[in-house]
Amino acid sequence: MGEKSKGFFVTGDPLIYGADVAIIVTLLGIIIFLTVFKKWGWLWKEWFTTVDHKRIGIMYLVSSLLMLFRGGVDALLMRLQLAAPNTHFLTSQHYNEIFTTHGTIMILFMAMPFMFALFNIVIPLQIGARDVAYPFLNALSFWLFFFGALLFNLSFVVGGSPDAGWLSYPPLSEIAGSPGPGQNFYIWGIQISGIGSLATGINFLVTILKMRAPGMKLMKMPLFSWSVLSSCITIIFAFPVLTVTLALLFVDRYLGAHIFTADSGNPMMYVNLIWMWGHPEVYIVVLPAFGIYSEIVSTFSKKKIFGYKSMVFSMMIISILGYFTWVHHFFTMGAGADVNTFFAITTMAIGIPTGVKIFNWLFTMFRGRITISQPMLWTIAFIPCFVVGGATGVMLAIAPADYQYHNSYFLIAHFHQTLIGGVVFGYLAGLYYWWPKMFGFKLNERLGKWAFWTWNIGFYVCFMPQYALGFMGMTRRVYTYGWDMGWAPFNMVSTVGAFLMGIGFIFQAWQILYSIKNGEKDVTGDPWNGRTLEWSIPSPAPLYNFAVIPEVKHDDDWWETKKAMADSQYKKEPPQYEPIHMPKQSGIPFIMSACWFVVGFGFTFGWSYVGLAGLLGVGLCLLARSFQQETDYYIPVDEVRKTEASLGRVG
Amino acid sequence: MEENHGSTKLYVMGFVLSLILTVIPLWLVVQHVFAKGMLTIVITAIAVGQLLIQLFCFMHIKDGEKPRYHAIALVLGAVIVFTIVAGSIWIMTFNSQVH
Ligand code: HEM
Ligand SMILES: [Cu+2]
């Protein structure tokens, strides 16, 4: 491995020492807490070895919120540095590291796990299933993500952070340009969690195709489930490309190959390959958000979604068409007019199904009886925000014009508008919507409104000036600029907006903590007067979800059932309980992922023996799993009856 | 769940065949057996062979009660693979163009 420019520990910057101290204090605090309250066993039994999709979902959620915090701090540091000209708050090197970790964390370790959290929490409940198709694999996916994220974040303390951008273009990311271990942290952190993402894609695809309650034809499936299906298809086709691309980069770095090097390889091939994953990836994360908006709009307008079929159709089109637009990220490579024209047209074409969806949401609200609750607030804020984001996207898609916009702050504003206004708003809306289902209480309304308004105002204050800055010639990834550029006022405004969003996040943390103590309890299991199956069971759902698997007859089945129940003629049949088949929990996913962590850590520092030892551990875990015979058990009828009675569902 | 998950023989055969088809191209490259053009063709052909082995020996595309899913997935897979390969060739030929 090339020369090490730094020691093992990252040193030299007071900011980093401060963060080190904070990390150590927090870790010690957690360890002392767990020991004093004798919680280690509880942690292992209830969480680390669980295969319950609801718990796995909560672990994804907690991790992603922590990552949102770290990515958010990165963002605020960058905005501080750019607030005024000639600032000496961060060095150029430090700035490079921060924009790299910010982007990587926000997409791969914040958006992806947040999305998987919602998959896990909602999908089985929404389709009337007792778990996912492969519960063991599901736990493995989570722990792979967790250890991948841990490895990536470790670069902050030891070895040094990656600094070649969130997509790590060669030749800069090759050994000659980035000799330290930072790039290896990037590669291994993403690879390890990437295996988990691919497995989750497969898992939920199979779950949705195979485990729907009887009677739930595909065309009766709620739209969130459809959106997850389309997202999973895209994951399955896109993630292998990422894995292979990063593996090739690692071969270059580790074995001295020249696949992407500047001297005899072809760095542009990397750019071509990585965007084959990168563009579908943005649709992977936004499609489920579309699904969430659909559920919310329909619930809070008390209407069936307008144009259900066209919604399904447009999501499927987006998930496939999203695979045919990747060149719009490097029009300026100069592949020729024919290539650029083709990809400009496919890119613009994606705007059509997206537009269809926007109109459908609007028509669903039209003449609906709308209740403005927190999920609905975020949904309403999303619509104009995403329309502008999409429109600037179409501007970028005009290949000749993109020679002007490319890699300017105009681009930065575009993708933050789609990612924050589309993805983050969507997941937050989903979080507010399904929170009572997860925990049995609602999140406080007043604090939520404060969070909503600071986030939203902050968003526009932060990003609208960036469009202008782009036109004024400010390029992305500059760490400082002079007074003569005339960029100072807009940058200052933008930084103020960023901090407003930071305050919004603090409101949300406060809101969660406050509501844990004082939140409005939900005893009905159906706090929003919902329409789909997840609202037919208690909150939080019992281990087995459905005591009796429902028989689905309509779309929006729970809504129709409630209508039928309101009828005086309605007679509820006493439920026929049967023993419930459940998966046993297992420690192997955790241990195996920890072994993968050792693999990643070893190869990151070029300690091949450590890496190989880790691989051996992975192999042993696989072996151990394949000899496990009893991986499932039955919950007896008595226990089901008791649980249901304790939840107030007498049967 | 009495589904056919293939025989041990099929798995072992697939495994051995994939090993062989991995060693051959490596050997071809290390020993400089062919010139570049020929080498590319041979390696591509072997890669396609690998793909077929995966599909038949490990992924059971022949059995299962819903072959329609298989057909859809395969067609989609083929379209995407075509896009990746042909698209990349098309996009990257700019390197050899004279401007
Ligand atoms: C109709 C919809 C959209 C169109 C037409 C569109 C178009 C484009 C184009 C042409 C670029 C490249 C510009 C350049 O590099 O000069 C771009 C960049 C980007 N877009 Fe979009 N986009 C759309 C929606 C989205 C959505 C929904 C997301 C995310 C959820 C998104 C995320 C991004 C990101 C992350 C980048 C830049 C990545 C980078 O360079 O690091 N876009 N978009
Ligand atoms: Cu794109």
Side-chain angles (χ1 to χ4, degrees), chain A residues 269-475:
Chain A
M269 191 61 187
Y270 178 96
V271 176
N272 174 51
L273 286 174
I274 198 96
W275 280 114
M276 256 180 223
W277 161 78
H279 183 79
E281 167 66 12
V282 306
Y283 283 99
I284 288 170
V285 289
V286 88
L287 280 165
F290 289 167
I292 295 167
Y293 296 127
S294 302
E295 301 289 336
I296 291 174
V297 160
S298 153
T299 302
F300 293 100
S301 307
K302 296 210 174 49
K303 268 173 74 182
K304 240 191 202 142
I305 194 83
F306 182 91
Y308 173 89
K309 276 192 189 146
S310 64
M311 285 300 223
V312 171
F313 208 62
S314 50
M315 283 195 291
M316 296 314 275
I317 290 184
I318 291 174
S319 87
I320 305 298
L321 199 59
Y323 216 96
F324 294 83
T325 64
W326 75 93
V327 175
H328 67 221
H329 293 277
F330 49 97
F331 281 144
T332 52
M333 183 170 100
D338 41 359
V339 172
N340 279 3
T341 308
F342 176 85
F343 285 94
I345 292 171
T346 52
T347 304
M348 293 175 197
I350 291 223
I352 300 169
T354 318
V356 168
K357 300 189 72 68
I358 300 266
F359 281 110
N360 283 345
W361 288 314
L362 292 177
F363 283 130
T364 307
M365 284 191 258
F366 181 63
R367 296 210 172 133
R369 272 172 293 144
I370 299 180
T371 343
I372 304 283
S373 56
Q374 291 184 78
M376 193 61 176
L377 266 182
W378 290 91
T379 304
I380 293 176
F382 145 79
I383 292 177
C385 199
F386 201 79
V387 167
V388 177
T392 55
V394 175
M395 287 172 71
L396 289 163
I398 305 165
D402 186 56
Y403 275 69
Q404 279 301 314
Y405 310 136
H406 184 56
N407 279 353
S408 74
Y409 261 77
F410 187 88
L411 163 75
I412 303 287
H414 154 70
F415 74 71
H416 283 91
Q417 187 140 27
T418 49
L419 284 168
I420 297 182
V423 177
V424 177
F425 283 13
Y427 295 176
L428 288 176
L431 183 69
Y432 286 112
Y433 184 56
W434 282 300
W435 184 278
K437 188 47 56 190
M438 286 182 245
F439 298 109
F441 62 88
K442 280 192 192 176
L443 285 170
N444 181 275
E445 197 70 46
R446 241 168 73 89
L447 285 169
K449 290 226 163 104
W450 278 96
F452 171 81
W453 285 109
T454 37
W455 258 104
N456 268 272
I457 297 171
F459 173 81
Y460 288 99
V461 174
C462 182
F463 289 104
M464 293 305 115
Q466 294 188 9
Y467 283 119
L469 283 169
F471 286 139
M472 294 162 75
M474 181 164 167
T475 52

Side-chain angles (χ1 to χ4, degrees), chain A residues 200-213:
Chain A
T200 304
I202 295 171
N203 210 340
F204 280 85
L205 182 79
V206 178
T207 305
I208 291 172
L209 288 181
K210 290 281 198 181
M211 304 207 13
R212 276 167 288 130

Side-chain angles (χ1 to χ4, degrees), chain A residues 575-598:
Chain A
Q576 297 290 316
Y577 296 133
E578 277 170 31
I580 295 177
H581 190 202
M582 295 297 289
K584 268 194 193 160
Q585 59 193 75
S586 166
I588 293 180
F590 181 88
I591 298 169
M592 190 164 140
S593 308
C595 291
W596 270 112
F597 178 85
V598 175

Side-chain angles (χ1 to χ4, degrees), chain A residues 81-153:
Chain A
Q81 167 67 23
L82 292 178
N86 304 324
T87 310
H88 291 286
F89 170 59
L90 301 173
T91 61
S92 60
Q93 172 59 22
H94 200 168
Y95 189 85
N96 292 351
E97 291 174 5
I98 292 181
F99 72 63
T100 301
T101 54
H102 166 76
T104 313
I105 284 178
M106 284 303 201
I107 296 275
L108 287 149
F109 303 127
M110 189 287 284
M112 291 296 281
F114 205 149
M115 173 178 95
F116 291 150
L118 295 167
F119 282 21
N120 269 285
I121 289 158
V122 181
I123 288 298
L125 304 184
Q126 192 165 60
I127 63 172
R130 290 199 166 120
D131 207 321
V132 294
Y134 310 114
F136 177 89
L137 187 67
N138 197 23
L140 184 61
S141 293
F142 170 75
W143 289 110
L144 284 171
F145 147 70
F146 180 87
F147 280 105
L150 190 66
L151 185 66
F152 183 86
N153 279 280

